Amino acid sequence: MHPDATSPSHRIARVAAHLNPTRPQMEEGAALRPAACRAKGGAPGFKVAVVGAAGGIGQSLSLLMKMNPLVSVLHLYDVVNTPGVTADVSHMDTSAVVRGFIGQQQLEAALTGMDLVIIPAGLPRKPGMTRDDLFNKNAGIVRSICEGVAKSCPNAIVNLISNPVNSTVPIAAEVFKRAGTYCPKRLLGVTTLDVARANTFVAEVLGVDPREVNVPVVGGHAGVTILPLLSQVSPPCSFTPDEISYLTNRIQNGGTEVVEAKAGAGSATLSMAFAAAKFADACLRGMRGDAGIVECSYVASEVTELPFFASKVRLGRGGAEEILPLGPLNDFERAGLEKAKKELSESIQKGVSFMNK
Ligand SMILES: NC(=O)c1ccc[n+]([C@@H]2O[C@H](COP(=O)([O-])OP(=O)(O)OC[C@H]3O[C@@H](n4cnc5c(N)ncnc54)[C@H](O)[C@@H]3O)[C@@H](O)[C@H]2O)c1
Ligand SMILES: O=C(O)C[C@H](O)C(=O)O
């Protein structure tokens, strides 16, 4: 080794070799600079990509994934503004190495080698819109990102956040089927925010800490398809008919509550990033081989006659290893399930038809 190889000036030169302030950092799919310096000594862990990383959800989610000790490499991809987000997040002194990628030409580099791909890309709602009103814009975005996944990291587990989730998950499944890479266990629609809201609102009614409450929320992720199973709350408790009506309505309309409060400035981003980070962490713990990881997610399912349905799933090394049964429903929940299935069936068909056009 050269006598100066470990001297401060040599180390600075080594870092500087990866910095070229006269060029945009994101050109040519290059990894952002210090990553290259630390790659050798990087902590063991999973490689995770956030697709849509410069958005409202994407920025906070990138921050939270940078804090996750199970992540060794974090790729941040968007069609705009990734350089700033990447530079910012990369200064956090946690172990994950951060690299930024921008634009369609860099999608392949962003996704290659990833173990987990989290997708919060696409338009959010404005007041007066349903999630389904986002279909025309977001269906194409999800299709092109999933084509990238099929090509560059076909074995990655995908956490799909982009709305309308009830249709975008079937679209992703069709893309993977066409590419010959489809594995139902690896495609998970993120419905964790519904569970977070249900836990919060139920805890408020019960006057307890929300962290002690677990409400299964099944069905899908829009309006009546969001079906909280209040008869199965843990720890066991009971509600009056008025409380059931209030809670069901508030949980089903939690997204709209935020959209209206933001008054045109988008939909839930902070609580969603929190929920997505929680779900991604559960997936990573499952991938590591931890036992007993159970979360609700919208997945390919045989729990009902529909091809996709959200329910409790056991997460393992391969993704959604087991779909758990719904358990006993009361009359109110059985009626809710019928309504949910009717709308879900149409949303699933809409996603599949989009791919068959
Ligand atoms: N599943 C859920 O529970 C849940 C909760 C909240 C929001 N959402 C959905 O998440 C999506 C994102 O919401 P947001 O508030 O972050 O929106 P946003 O507009 O703030 O951010 C979206 C980001 O996606 C990027 N993007 C657009 N096309 C892209 C492409 N082809 N590849 C990569 N990135 C692309 C945009 O540049 C933008 O940075 C919306 O569809 C919203 O409805 C889902
Ligand atoms: O409501 C929305 O449009 C965003 C998201 O699906 C949510 O539930 O907050």
Side-chain angles (χ1 to χ4, degrees), residues 79-298:
V79 290
V80 291
N81 297 337
T82 354
V85 177
T86 306
D88 195 351
V89 170
S90 72
H91 290 186
M92 293 169 65
D93 57 349
T94 60
S95 63
V97 168
V98 185
R99 299 175 182 137
F101 303 84
I102 188 165
Q104 185 65 31
Q105 321 87 293
Q106 296 190 3
L107 182 61
E108 187 173 339
L111 294 175
T112 299
M114 293 298 106
D115 301 305
L116 174 68
V117 178
I118 315 175
I119 309 177
L123 262 61
R125 282 199 283 166
K126 288 191 182 334
M129 291 172 78
T130 66
R131 291 176 183 81
D132 186 60
D133 292 334
L134 301 169
F135 186 96
N136 288 343
K137 290 276 188 224
N138 290 354
I141 291 174
V142 168
R143 178 177 56 192
S144 75
I145 293 166
C146 289
E147 284 167 355
V149 170
K151 186 173 171 205
S152 305
C153 53
N155 295 322
I157 288 173
V158 172
N159 289 179
L160 188 47
I161 296 169
S162 317
N163 269 319
V165 169
N166 292 353
S167 301
T168 54
V169 169
I171 289 172
E174 288 301 310
V175 172
F176 297 148
K177 279 181 201 165
R178 278 157 201 231
T181 66
Y182 184 49
C183 170
K185 291 198 291 190
R186 292 199 294 262
L187 175 58
L188 299 113
V190 182
T191 58
T192 321
L193 183 52
D194 300 315
V195 175
R197 285 177 177 141
N199 293 344
T200 304
F201 304 154
V202 164
E204 271 170 23
V205 166
L206 297 177
V208 299
D209 185 329
R211 290 170 301 180
E212 286 162 17
V213 176
N214 191 3
V215 186
V217 182
V218 303
H221 179 66
V224 296
T225 73
I226 300 170
L227 187 61
L229 300 182
L230 297 171
S231 66
Q232 295 183 25
V233 172
S234 162
C237 56
S238 60
F239 300 101
T240 65
D242 280 353
E243 286 170 342
I244 290 174
S245 165
Y246 160 79
L247 284 168
T248 303
N249 185 50
R250 186 143 186 231
I251 294 162
Q252 291 182 333
N253 293 301
T256 305
E257 183 178 321
V258 178
V259 168
E260 283 170 1
K262 290 199 173 182
S267 56
T269 52
L270 303 173
S271 51
M272 183 58 230
F274 168 79
K278 212 170 166 184
F279 187 67
D281 179 65
C283 288
L284 293 174
R285 284 183 287 123
M287 289 157 73
R288 179 174 67 175
D290 289 12
I293 313 285
V294 172
E295 294 287 336
C296 290
S297 177
Y298 181 64

Side-chain angles (χ1 to χ4, degrees), residues 3 37-38 45-46 77 85 236 252 278 316 338:
C37 308
R38 279 205 288 140
F46 293 102
Y77 173 85
V85 177
Q252 291 182 333
K278 212 170 166 184
E338 290 314 307

